[in-house]
Amino acid sequence: QTAARQARSPPATSSSGLWVFEIALNTPSRHRAKEAIQQLELPVARKENNFVVIGPYKQKQDAARVMKELSEHHGVRGWMMAGN
């Protein structure tokens, strides 16, 4: 029964669909985050007071590559999620 249910529903880790990531702006690194977003000319999907949503990206690996760039070269962290 479990295998049949899994076969009908797409896996949660699918790389297809739209992907976005969220960066918190209520942290001490918010100025670094804003500078990195401007420098990399990232597509901002939504702005709020305490966070910004970057994307959407059609492939999960594209979003992951941008996240890695932000983390390794700019010291900015965020979390990735499926967009809608």
Side-chain angles (χ1 to χ4, degrees), residues 3-23:
R5 187 170 55 221
Q6 288 177 346
R8 286 194 303 265
S9 62
T13 58
S14 172
S15 64
S16 62
L18 294 178
W19 292 88
V20 297
F21 56 90
E22 211 170 277
I23 299 172

Side-chain angles (χ1 to χ4, degrees), residues 71-83:
S71 177
E72 291 181 355
H73 297 124
H74 299 278
V76 175
R77 299 188 321 185
W79 55 97
M80 188 168 35
M81 62 193 96

Side-chain angles (χ1 to χ4, degrees), residues 18-56:
L18 294 178
W19 292 88
V20 297
F21 56 90
E22 211 170 277
I23 299 172
L25 296 178
N26 58 348
T27 63
S29 65
R30 68 181 166 274
H31 298 295
R32 270 187 307 193
K34 289 179 181 180
E35 288 173 7
I37 291 166
Q38 290 174 347
Q39 182 180 350
L40 297 174
E41 298 178 353
L42 298 178
V44 176
R46 190 167 131 211
K47 287 182 185 178
E48 297 290 336
N49 286 336
N50 294 326
F51 68 91
V52 63
V53 177
I54 304 296

